[in-house]
Amino acid sequence: MADLPARLDIPDRLEIAGTTFTRVESPESIACWSADADHRPVSVLTEPAAAPDRATLDLATVVLGRFDELADLAVAYLRERLREPELGLSAPELAMLDAAEPSAAEPDAVVWADGTWMLRFAESRLRMADPYGIGVLFEGTTPSGIEDLSHADLA
C-alpha cells in the first residue's frame, strides 16, 4: 500500500473498544479506517475526509461489541424482507430463506459518519447478491433496509 497523504487532522490509527483501526487508501474526499476484530471486518468512513467524531466512534463501539447479535438480527431481517414480491426472488431462492443454513454469510460492517451503518454479507447464494454480496442498512441497532449490491462499484 502506498503511503497515505499526511494530514495532521486525520489520524493514521484509531483505537475503538480495544481494537486498532488503520487508515487505508481511499479517494481524497474520504477517510477510511479498517480493522479485523476477531475475524469480523469493520470499517469506519468519514466524508468529507476528517477524523471521526465522538458519535461515530460510539457507534463503531456498539457495532464491535454486539457484532454477532447484530449479524443475527440482519439475517432475520433479510429472511423477512426478501419475501417481498418487489424484490423478485425466485421460488428456489425463497426456499433457501427457510433453510437452516443462512442464505447470507461472512458479514463485514461499514460505519459512516452520518450515524448509519451497514452489514454486508459477502457470501450469498442469492442472485441479487452477485458479485458483491447483500447489505442490511441499520439505524442504530435496528435493521432499516436492504442494499442490493449487485451493481455496486466497490473499487
Side-chain angles (χ1 to χ4, degrees), residues 29-54:
S29 63
I30 298 171
C32 179
W33 297 264
S34 191
D36 188 359
D38 295 325
H39 306 290
R40 298 175 183 115
V42 178
S43 298
V44 174
L45 282 93
T46 59
E47 186 176 13
D53 62 15
R54 174 53 41 205

Side-chain angles (χ1 to χ4, degrees), residues 110-130:
V110 179
V111 177
W112 292 288
D114 68 359
T116 61
W117 68 282
M118 176 176 66
L119 264 176
R120 180 181 70 94
F121 293 91
E123 299 292 324
S124 177
R125 298 182 311 263
L126 301 175
R127 184 185 49 211
M128 76 182 300
D130 187 32

Side-chain angles (χ1 to χ4, degrees), residues 59-132:
L59 179 56
T61 298
V62 169
V63 171
L64 284 168
R66 296 176 59 190
F67 194 95
D68 291 336
E69 171 193 349
L70 295 167
D72 289 345
L73 276 174
V75 169
Y77 183 80
L78 282 171
R79 284 184 167 149
E80 178 183 328
R81 288 286 315 278
L82 289 173
R83 296 179 194 288
E84 295 174 4
E86 62 270 13
L87 293 175
L89 266 62
S90 67
E93 288 177 311
L94 289 169
M96 277 191 282
L97 297 178
D98 294 324
E101 181 181 318
S103 55
E106 302 294 325
D108 59 77
V110 179
V111 177
W112 292 288
D114 68 359
T116 61
W117 68 282
M118 176 176 66
L119 264 176
R120 180 181 70 94
F121 293 91
E123 299 292 324
S124 177
R125 298 182 311 263
L126 301 175
R127 184 185 49 211
M128 76 182 300
D130 187 32
Y132 299 116

